[in-house]
Amino acid sequence: MATLGGQGRAADGRGPGVSRCSVAGSASRWRGLLGVVALVLTRRLQTPSVPTTRAPGRPVAPMSLTDRRLRWPMAVGLCAMYCVMSAQVNTAFFVMDRFGVPAAQATGLTGAMLTAVGLAMIAAQLLVRRLTAPLGHDWSPTRLIATGAAIASLGFLATSVSPLVWVLGCAYFMSGFGMGMVLPAISAAAANAVSAHEQGAAAGTVSTAQAGGMVVAPMVSTLLYHLRPELPFWAAAGVLALLAGFALRRLALRGRSAARADARDPGPDGGGR
């Protein structure tokens, strides 16, 4: 961080405050692109709701933030948005401190990194659609979370040790590719966990957890950055690795439950379903 002020003065003679503002302004413009991409991917992956007829005058009870059915998608949403916002907040400063570039050049590089993230998210969803539709693989939301979180975790680790700008771009692309699997799967997992007439309330509840990640990330990640520039990316990698581990555990438990169900129901020929 010590090089930040010097680079800003050398670039335009106006001091570090102006440099930080110009870079932060560029990052905020690109943040909207990522939000649009995440929204499009969420709408494509979310399980279509089945129309149901509800009795007239029957109100839908408000969904609690502690609803057991939504604990998993809410935890994933909180952690995922923390990681996304942590990277966005620190990208420009990390570029300036790691590569010693002036603020004007860091602005362009920051835009390029965030563009790579958006393109990677689109590529991830296109690949998932191509893999699942014709081949019929079991890409459930939990499996997408496990795979995407593992890929994004490796991308954040690569970000922290990137020695060259193009390597940093590849690391950001890897992170974006993984998050392109995780973010849409959150809404899909919430929709699958509740009844059809509760899906709207479930979406709003999960969005609350994601907003919490957006609130926590700037405070925590900037504190970590002051301690060491690589710490925010290490923390994000650790959080995503834990998510991948929990998702794999859920898949394993689901597999064992299915095996026990098959054992209890031998089928018409006595040899299992």
Side-chain angles (χ1 to χ4, degrees):
M1 296 296 290
T3 62
L4 186 59
Q7 292 295 340
R9 285 189 291 269
D12 54 14
R14 290 177 291 178
V18 177
S19 301
R20 286 176 179 267
C21 291
S22 62
V23 174
S26 174
S28 65
R29 288 193 298 269
W30 287 98
R31 197 169 299 156
L33 172 63
L34 298 183
V36 173
V37 172
L39 177 61
V40 172
L41 299 186
T42 299
R43 291 178 63 86
R44 289 198 173 195
L45 181 65
Q46 186 170 359
T47 304
S49 60
V50 179
T52 58
T53 303
R54 186 161 48 90
R58 177 189 169 191
V60 178
M63 189 160 291
S64 172
L65 292 175
T66 59
D67 193 307
R68 292 176 59 88
R69 298 171 297 174
L70 297 179
R71 288 179 182 177
W72 170 242
M74 289 182 68
V76 177
L78 175 67
C79 295
M81 289 309 300
Y82 167 82
C83 295
V84 170
M85 292 300 299
S86 179
Q88 291 182 0
V89 167
N90 294 288
T91 296
F93 304 136
F94 186 75
V95 168
M96 286 192 289
D97 289 343
R98 172 57 62 92
F99 304 110
V101 298
Q105 186 177 352
T107 300
L109 291 176
T110 299
M113 300 300 169
L114 298 182
T115 300
V117 171
L119 294 175
M121 294 174 71
I122 296 175
Q125 184 55 32
L126 293 176
L127 178 62
V128 169
R129 287 169 59 86
R130 184 173 294 275
L131 286 176
T132 55
L135 301 181
H137 289 175
D138 179 24
W139 281 95
S140 63
T142 302
R143 189 176 297 277
L144 283 174
I145 291 170
T147 305
I151 295 174
S153 178
L154 293 177
F156 278 109
L157 283 178
T159 297
S160 66
V161 297
S162 298
L164 301 171
V165 173
W166 69 268
V167 177
L168 182 64
C170 292
Y172 264 73
F173 187 91
M174 181 183 295
S175 300
F177 191 90
M179 298 310 296
M181 293 182 172
V182 173
L183 292 176
I186 297 170
S187 295
N192 292 343
V194 299
S195 302
H197 68 278
E198 296 178 304
Q199 290 181 358
T205 304
V206 172
S207 296
T208 302
Q210 292 175 313
M214 298 175 66
V215 171
V216 173
M219 297 184 293
V220 175
S221 62
T222 51
L223 175 62
L224 293 175
Y225 193 94
H226 278 288
L227 297 176
R228 182 166 179 170
E230 296 85 1
L231 273 180
F233 303 100
W234 291 347
V239 169
L240 290 169
L242 287 175
L243 276 185
F246 278 114
L248 290 174
R249 181 175 180 272
R250 289 174 65 89
L251 288 174
L253 292 175
R254 184 181 303 169
R256 286 198 291 267
S257 298
R260 286 195 296 267
D262 287 341
R264 288 193 299 267
D265 185 7
D269 56 355
R273 288 184 297 178

